[in-house]
Amino acid sequence: MIRPVRRFVFAAALLWVGLSITSPARAQPTGPSARARVSVQPVNSSTSKGDLGPALRDQIARLLRAHGYHVVTTLPRVGGTGQYLELAKDNRLTAFVTADLEEGRHRSCVTFLLWDGATGSVQGRWSASASSKKLPKAISKGFWKYFGPRFTGVQPPPSDELEPAPPMYVNAGTPLD
């Protein structure tokens, strides 16, 4: 009677230890955005009035974080498109999101570009237009609908670092033919 109880307790302890070892791995996010780093560049505005540009940049950063991306907002906006590839390599970035804002008297229009980190090419372009007060809502409704599928196609640049070689067995005692 005591042995079955001991076996049950021993089996339960093994199961508990096994689950506690594997549970942190299950807690890690999975999918294409699990460790993807995306830079949201400062919004380029046609006018210097208002704080709409920084507010839109913060909104895009929140949208990307909500979908599991690691957002980088510390990089300055670059002058030429050829710099994206080098920035992506240096900062291990998967993509860049840039925006140009045209603020009018009654309506504002923002155009977003999604740049691939591996190739430096444009993966998508999307625009939203509304009054300055309603523009953030228009972006919230349409940004991820349009860009979401395009984020699955972006890749980080290949790493220059060599991965460790797999262990090999070399038998130095055998003669060569």
Side-chain angles (χ1 to χ4, degrees):
M1 174 106 171
I2 294 176
R3 286 187 183 172
V5 172
R6 284 185 185 170
R7 286 183 188 159
F8 175 76
V9 170
F10 182 72
L14 279 177
L15 182 63
W16 179 76
V17 168
L19 289 177
S20 66
I21 290 173
T22 59
S23 63
R26 290 182 189 164
Q28 298 295 326
T30 59
S33 65
R35 296 187 314 181
R37 293 169 49 94
V38 177
S39 173
V40 179
Q41 299 285 287
V43 176
N44 189 18
S45 180
S46 63
T47 63
S48 60
K49 65 177 184 174
D51 294 327
L52 191 56
L56 293 179
R57 182 184 190 196
D58 292 342
Q59 180 183 8
I60 297 304
R62 284 191 308 273
L63 281 168
L64 291 171
R65 283 187 191 110
H67 285 89
Y69 289 90
H70 177 79
V71 178
V72 177
T73 57
T74 56
L75 297 175
R77 188 171 176 112
V78 297
T81 58
Q83 296 172 321
Y84 286 123
L85 197 53
E86 193 64 33
L87 274 175
K89 281 184 180 180
D90 293 344
N91 296 289
R92 297 171 313 186
L93 296 170
T94 302
F96 293 88
V97 176
T98 62
D100 290 322
L101 176 65
E102 294 179 24
E103 294 179 85
R105 180 179 264 172
H106 300 289
R107 291 185 73 77
S108 294
C109 180
V110 62
T111 301
F112 294 98
L113 293 175
L114 174 64
W115 298 83
D116 187 0
T119 63
S121 62
V122 176
Q123 295 295 311
R125 178 187 315 261
W126 178 73
S127 296
S129 180
S131 67
S132 295
K133 289 182 181 180
K134 294 182 180 180
L135 189 59
K137 184 175 182 178
I139 292 169
S140 293
K141 289 177 76 176
F143 182 86
W144 194 253
K145 284 181 186 176
Y146 181 79
F147 279 122
R150 285 165 175 74
F151 269 98
T152 60
V154 295
Q155 297 290 322
S159 175
D160 292 337
E161 298 176 13
L162 295 176
E163 293 187 18
M168 294 177 47
Y169 174 76
V170 176
N171 187 354
T174 58
L176 297 174
D177 292 335

